[in-house]
Amino acid sequence: MTAPTPRKAHIVYAHPEPKSFVAAMRDRVSERLTADGWQVGLSDLHAMGFNPVASAADFVEREKPDYLVYSLEQRHGWQRRALAPDILAEVEAVRQAELLVLVFPVFWFSVPAIMKGWIDRVFLSGLFYGGKRIYDRAPMAGKRALVVTSLGGRSHMFGETGIHGSIELMLRPLLQGSLGYVGYEVFKPFVAYHVPYVTQAERGAMLEQLGRETDALSRRETLVFPSLDAYDEVLRPLERCVERIGDAGEQGSDVQRAVEINRRLRTPASRR
């Protein structure tokens, strides 16, 4: 009897210190996924010397050599497989993976530059997104993504009443604008707080918690992003969806109403 093909996960890791706590988080996720039967790949961006700068050099051949429109050249480059070798290798690793895991420290409410550059160069226009091939109709729909990150702030500084707001809002350009946009179902991120200032024992407890949460990944809460079912051909909200919320007598900003529309569209009635 043929053994089943293992599920593939790919970890993209960014930290300049090989012995960092973020590296320990990377290893813990990899260990737990492997123990659960996943085949785990790794892109260690600093160790690879990954170039984060998008440029004309990313294209072996150009459709319009006299003027660079990067996203359009990405489409042409993918069609001809005329992209820099490092881009092609990363694209293939991501395409094969059912689960994408990004592991990094928060820098300035965002990802490190090397991670942002990886997204810029690897999430190709035409292959990962394009036109109305976004969110739940994008090419990565059906796959999942997890963000594992650390920061210096304390946990009480984040959330609806925290001084910095919620982690999900802070990382919205990544969680929604990158991962969700290309179709991933995105798990609620794992965040290790106040890492540089806690004891070794406390860091160990964080790693244990990460291991347990990785083991329970299939049951982990996912974030709500727009569904194209709520929008027309030019991406205006459908009247029936807006009326559905209005009829319920719910108030709030346009953003809150849009989130509620999409939550209802994407949440089974039995769970509402």
Side-chain angles (χ1 to χ4, degrees), residues 41-55:
L42 171 66
S43 294
D44 182 337
L45 300 184
H46 283 276
M48 294 162 56
F50 185 81
N51 174 18
V53 181
S55 73

Side-chain angles (χ1 to χ4, degrees), residues 16-226:
E17 172 50 61
K19 295 178 287 186
S20 67
F21 178 77
V22 178
M25 292 201 299
R26 172 204 64 198
D27 293 344
R28 185 59 55 96
V29 171
S30 181
E31 290 164 4
R32 299 317 307 156
L33 289 175
T34 300
D36 193 36
W38 291 83
Q39 180 179 320
V40 182
L42 171 66
S43 294
D44 182 337
L45 300 184
H46 283 276
M48 294 162 56
F50 185 81
N51 174 18
V53 181
S55 73
D58 290 344
F59 309 105
V60 176
E61 155 189 325
R62 294 265 297 278
E63 184 175 33
K64 294 185 177 180
D66 58 332
Y67 188 87
L68 177 63
V69 180
Y70 193 81
S71 60
L72 298 183
E73 292 295 347
Q74 283 186 320
R75 297 182 185 192
H76 176 78
W78 174 248
Q79 290 170 355
R80 301 294 186 90
R81 300 301 190 271
L83 295 163
D86 62 337
I87 295 176
L88 287 173
E90 293 302 295
V91 167
E92 193 57 32
V94 174
R95 291 181 73 208
Q96 290 184 10
E98 297 174 44
L99 172 67
L100 178 65
V101 184
L102 305 185
V103 186
F104 59 89
V106 169
F107 285 1
W108 294 108
F109 281 34
S110 187
V111 298
I114 198 169
M115 179 74 77
K116 177 60 167 62
W118 181 88
I119 294 169
D120 291 344
R121 297 181 71 223
V122 173
F123 280 17
L124 303 177
S125 175
L127 176 63
F128 283 81
Y129 69 95
K132 291 192 288 292
R133 295 165 60 246
I134 57 176
Y135 295 120
D136 54 348
R137 296 186 191 173
M140 296 297 107
K143 299 188 177 188
R144 293 183 164 188
L146 172 67
V147 165
V148 176
T149 191
S150 70
L151 41 72
R154 298 176 184 271
S155 59
H156 68 260
M157 298 176 182
F158 302 88
E160 290 186 6
T161 60
I163 189 170
H164 300 310
S166 72
I167 287 290
E168 289 80 7
L169 181 60
M170 175 187 293
L171 296 179
R172 183 171 178 258
L174 171 66
L175 300 172
Q176 178 174 343
S178 301
L179 297 171
Y181 191 81
V182 302
Y184 283 107
E185 185 175 11
V186 182
F187 291 110
K188 184 176 179 180
F190 178 90
V191 183
Y193 294 99
H194 210 47
V195 169
Y197 312 106
V198 299
T199 66
Q200 189 66 24
E202 288 172 308
R203 283 191 286 271
M206 293 177 188
L207 291 175
E208 291 300 315
Q209 182 65 29
L210 175 58
R212 289 191 294 271
E213 294 190 21
T214 303
D215 289 342
L217 197 59
S218 64
R219 301 187 299 277
R220 191 172 185 82
E221 179 184 352
T222 55
L223 305 177
V224 176
F225 299 134

